[in-house]
Structure formats: C-alpha cells, structure tokens
Amino acid sequence: MGSKLYRAKVGPPELFDVIGAHQFCVMIRMGLREHHKMLDLGCGCLRGGKFFINYLKPRGYVGIDPDIDLVWEGVRNELTESVFRNKSPILNYWDDFVFAERLGKEFDFVLAQSILTHTGHDLAKSIMQEAFDALKPGGKFVATYFDGVADSNLTGWLGNDIASYTTPFMRKALTDIGFVGVARRGLGHPVGQTWIEATVP
Ligand SMILES: C[S@@+](CC[C@H](N)C(=O)[O-])C[C@H]1O[C@@H](n2cnc3c(N)ncnc32)[C@H](O)[C@@H]1O
C-alpha cells in the first residue's frame, strides 16, 4: 500500500472513507442492487467506486474520468488485485462528458457525485441529457449539487472552483429533458451537498 496523497485530489482526505461509504449507502437507498449496471461519472480514485465494484456483479461498474493517474492510484490502493480481476470494472478516460452514444442506453443508474458542484450551468444540463440518454427506461440519475440562493452563471468545467444552483433550477433542467420523479434529498451528505434523483420514464 503506497502513499495516499492522491485522496486529497477529490476532497478532504480525512473524510475520504466516509464520503465513499455515504455514496454507497445513498445508492442502495435509491434502489441499486447487485445485478444492476451503474455508471460513475467522474469516478476519480474510486472513493465510491471501491464499494460499488465490490458489490456489483462482474462488469456492472463503469467509471469515467480523464485523470488516468488518479484512477489507477485508486485501482492500486483502494481495490485488491482479486477484486479488480474478478469484478472487471470498465474504466474510461474520456474528457468531454460525452458518453451516452459511446456506452449505449444500458444503465440502471448514473451517479454524478461532486460533479455538478464543479460544472457551469451549460455543462450541468448537457450531463443531465447524456445521463438521460444512457439510462434504460426506469433508470435513475442520482447526483449531488450545492444548493444555493442563486444559480451560477459560470460555464464549462470549473476544475477546483465550485458552482451552486437553486433546487428550482435543478428540477426544471431535469424535467425539461424528460426525467420524472425528480426529488431533492437531504440524506446527510458529509460536506453539505444536496442529493437529487430523477427517473427516466
Ligand atoms: C470532486 S472529484 C469527485 C470524484 C468522485 N465522484 C468522488 O466522489 O470521489 C471530481 C472528478 O471529476 C473528474 N473529471 C474532470 N473532468 C471530467 C470529465 N470530462 N469527465 C469525467 N470526469 C471528469 C475529475 O478528474 C475528478 O476525479
């Protein structure tokens, strides 16, 4: 087991384990089961991925993150070799948030944890559309955002900068795309983000 400095790249290192486990608990509560196929958008160093990969059946976990080094720090340090071999997670390194056409409409869940917290409004909406297109009927998009008093007017990927959105903005953006059952969830996120779920009819 090497240095765990990479953990600081996705948030406060002292909360790494809790934020990972929290994601897993939320997804189970949202209906994730072991036979499902899920996409972890911006999977980073598998903070949540380590739990999902262990739980899901082989090839049930798909991660996307352009930071190959970070993803592989996660593979080497957060997974055992046998779990990696037996569960065969599918990892992609695309950097454009375009994934529906590449992966097909085959997901039960798309998770975006701490992603819409770093995206401008245009990119947030385009990620929602991609998620809609990648989900099977009945599939769920589950995401976190910073619930603010106004909507960020920033655009694109913000890197380490943060954007916040009002719940009406999130709700409208999701329903305009065609999602149903849009619901804001508190759920005690360790750093105060808000969860939102939305279902493909
Ligand atoms: C705050 S971290 C969250 C990581 C992970 N979701 C978690 O909760 O541990 C944001 C992640 O988004 C990734 N990212 C940046 N651009 C991306 C892109 N175009 N597509 C997918 N992920 C991206 C970053 O590399 C980083 O790992």
Side-chain angles (χ1 to χ4, degrees), residues 2 7 21-22 25 28-29 31 52 55 60 73 77 93-94 99 105 121 128 141-142 153 158 162 164-165 171 186:
R7 287 184 166 193
H22 174 73
C25 295
I28 294 297
R29 188 163 167 173
F52 299 119
Y55 174 72
E73 289 282 14
N77 295 290
Y93 310 106
W94 305 317
F99 49 88
K105 198 170 183 60
H121 57 93
M128 291 173 190
F141 178 55
V142 181
N153 59 7
L158 308 179
I162 296 286
S164 57
Y165 295 99
R171 196 178 286 282

Side-chain angles (χ1 to χ4, degrees), residues 1-187:
M1 195 75 54
S3 149
K4 296 212 167 153
L5 289 177
Y6 62 88
R7 287 184 166 193
K9 282 194 155 188
V10 292
E14 68 282 7
L15 292 177
F16 185 91
D17 61 333
V18 175
I19 294 174
H22 174 73
Q23 294 177 50
F24 182 67
C25 295
V26 166
M27 292 300 280
I28 294 297
R29 188 163 167 173
M30 295 287 178
L32 181 72
R33 295 297 177 263
E34 63 178 6
H35 59 278
H36 282 152
K37 186 151 184 176
M38 78 168 273
L39 171 61
D40 189 359
L41 180 63
C43 59
C45 49
L46 309 178
R47 180 165 61 172
K50 68 194 283 188
F51 296 94
F52 299 119
I53 293 166
N54 270 279
Y55 174 72
L56 294 167
K57 291 196 184 293
R59 301 183 70 77
Y61 177 89
V62 179
I64 302 176
D65 201 295
D67 191 338
I68 300 185
D69 294 341
L70 183 62
V71 173
W72 277 86
E73 289 282 14
V75 169
R76 280 191 298 270
N77 295 290
E78 305 293 343
L79 300 179
T80 63
E81 253 184 68
S82 69
V83 165
F84 185 67
R85 209 176 32 248
N86 295 333
K87 294 302 181 87
S88 307
I90 299 163
L91 301 170
N92 299 293
Y93 310 106
W94 305 317
D95 65 358
D96 53 7
F97 289 108
V98 174
F99 49 88
E101 214 174 296
R102 288 165 171 152
L103 294 171
K105 198 170 183 60
E106 57 174 76
F107 290 92
D108 301 287
F109 285 89
V110 172
L111 169 67
Q113 135 67 35
S114 264
I115 302 300
L116 304 184
T117 47
H118 300 278
T119 51
H121 57 93
D122 56 339
L123 185 54
K125 287 182 190 165
S126 111
I127 287 172
M128 291 173 190
Q129 181 69 60
E130 286 287 319
F132 186 88
D133 294 341
L135 284 161
K136 297 177 192 166
K140 265 189 199 180
F141 178 55
V142 181
T144 61
Y145 65 105
F146 278 118
D147 196 354
V149 290
D151 300 317
S152 171
N153 59 7
L154 299 171
T155 55
W157 176 249
L158 308 179
N160 290 330
D161 291 342
I162 296 286
S164 57
Y165 295 99
T166 60
T167 297
F169 169 89
M170 297 295 289
R171 196 178 286 282
K172 181 172 186 322
L174 290 161
T175 49
D176 282 355
I177 288 167
F179 280 106
V180 295
V182 177
R184 175 195 191 280
R185 304 259 183 236
L187 301 175

